[in-house]
Amino acid sequence: MSDDTAQRNRPDAAVPRHIAIVMDGNGRWARSRFMPRQAGHRAGVDSVRQVVETAGHLGVEALTLFAFSSENWSRPNDEVSVLMDLMLRTLQKESARLHQNNVRIRLIGERSHLSERLRLEIAEAERLTEHNTGLTLVVAVSFGGRWDMLQAARRFAQDVREGVRDPDDLDEALFSGYLSLDGLPDPDLLIRTGGEQRISNFLLWHLAYAELHFVDTLWPDFGAEELKAAVASFAGRERRFGLTSEQVERLSRA
Ligand code: IPE
Ligand code: IPE
Ligand code: MG
């Protein structure tokens, strides 16, 4: 990584421009209360609300929430239905308020696997909020990091076939433009709740230099205070992007 990249990713920023979250632990939260797993998913929506609001107040530019992975399709049918239904109803209920709060909604993932109703609701929320200038809220649904890289490679190959692109021109910036998060800075901070310390096929390309924050807190117990604690932990880290500490210090004085 060049000096240039480190300069662009100024290491002195106390607030991450982009936070990504793996919202895990809903099922265990419910089970510990002798409730069905779906009660945990429902409780998780309150955490989403709090985190979106707090991220906006902190001045975060983008928040990407992992709501449903490519692999989650293999869960029992009734749990998948509950999750899809919850997503639809949450969008219907929250879009107007998010719009009032100047939030821009964007969905990443394999849309063709979603129901037509959900696809329409997503398109409507994206259209309604597309000119908003506050927080960009990215919801990853039917998303996998490997799926994202494959769809990007496929589209690039098509452009080459059509003579629009030359393989020799392919560099990181050009390839990023074919990925789902096109136009947003890479996440600076990845949070995963629920105690597991893994990526689970989330943003494989974009997390290259993210700071990782793993907490045992189950997603329905995660709220404004926990988000602020994660951001405080981020602020105390030195991001070196392959450079030495001395180089980083020189850059932050420049
Ligand atoms: C995260 O909670 C929500 C989704 C993956 C959709 P889980 O449902 O994975 O909860 P645990 O990990 O089983 O507790
Ligand atoms: C990751 O959680 C996906 C989401 C939070 C949407 P999982 O519960 O599916 O992850 P694994 O299976 O424990 O790795
Ligand atoms: Mg889980």
Side-chain angles (χ1 to χ4, degrees):
M1 197 163 277
S2 64
D3 263 27
D4 247 20
T5 311
Q7 182 75 52
R8 260 201 320 276
N9 293 287
R10 287 296 292 251
D12 52 359
V15 175
R17 291 179 66 191
H18 186 171
I19 300 178
I21 308 184
V22 180
M23 310 183 289
D24 196 22
N26 294 349
R28 280 163 284 162
W29 182 92
R31 208 171 48 202
S32 71
R33 284 164 176 75
F34 306 101
M35 288 152 90
R37 293 177 58 84
Q38 61 195 63
H41 298 315
R42 254 185 252 110
V45 177
D46 284 336
S47 299
V48 171
R49 216 175 279 122
Q50 278 191 53
V51 163
V52 170
E53 196 173 301
T54 309
H57 289 158
L58 289 171
V60 171
E61 288 173 37
L63 175 67
T64 298
L65 302 178
F66 203 7
F68 192 90
S69 72
S70 309
E71 290 72 26
N72 290 148
W73 287 114
S74 303
R75 289 194 179 194
N77 286 342
D78 57 345
E79 178 161 349
V80 171
S81 303
V82 162
L83 283 164
M84 291 299 145
D85 190 52
L86 194 59
M87 234 143 352
L88 180 70
R89 281 189 294 123
T90 305
L91 262 178
Q92 287 168 335
K93 225 164 71 191
E94 305 287 334
S95 292
R97 207 173 49 90
L98 290 168
H99 180 47
Q100 275 168 14
N101 290 332
N102 201 20
V103 173
R104 191 158 60 114
I105 301 173
R106 186 163 151 185
L107 182 123
I108 58 171
E110 178 54 281
R111 290 184 196 220
S112 66
H113 291 173
L114 305 177
S115 72
E116 197 186 346
R117 269 189 81 193
L118 184 53
R119 283 204 304 266
L120 286 173
E121 200 63 40
I122 291 162
E124 173 58 22
E126 286 178 330
R127 193 203 52 76
L128 176 72
T129 63
E130 70 185 333
H131 298 300
N132 289 346
T133 53
L135 177 76
T136 296
L137 172 62
V138 183
V139 187
V141 179
S142 188
F143 180 87
R146 288 184 172 180
W147 166 82
D148 196 20
M149 288 200 262
L150 283 180
Q151 66 79 23
R154 198 176 297 123
R155 288 197 297 126
F156 178 74
Q158 268 157 10
D159 282 351
V160 169
R161 188 165 56 192
E162 287 163 23
V164 181
R165 292 285 182 205
D166 182 333
D168 289 338
D169 294 339
L170 190 61
D171 58 12
E172 290 188 12
L174 184 60
F175 189 67
S176 288
Y178 285 88
L179 292 165
S180 300
L181 286 181
D182 177 31
L184 293 175
D186 284 348
D188 305 290
L189 172 65
L190 170 80
I191 301 170
R192 180 170 185 146
T193 63
E196 313 297 350
Q197 303 193 355
R198 53 179 174 248
I199 303 293
S200 298
N201 195 19
F202 195 21
L203 299 159
L204 298 180
W205 171 275
H206 308 85
L207 294 176
Y209 260 103
E211 297 297 324
L212 309 180
H213 184 80
F214 297 109
V215 290
D216 290 334
T217 313
L218 303 172
W219 178 249
D221 292 326
F222 193 92
E225 291 317 308
E226 287 73 19
L227 182 66
K228 286 180 195 162
V231 168
S233 148
F234 171 85
R237 300 187 190 190
E238 181 183 64
R239 305 186 75 195
R240 290 193 286 278
F241 298 100
L243 307 185
T244 65
S245 272
E246 292 71 21
Q247 287 176 298
V248 171
E249 273 160 35
R250 218 179 315 119
L251 278 171
S252 61
R253 278 198 304 269

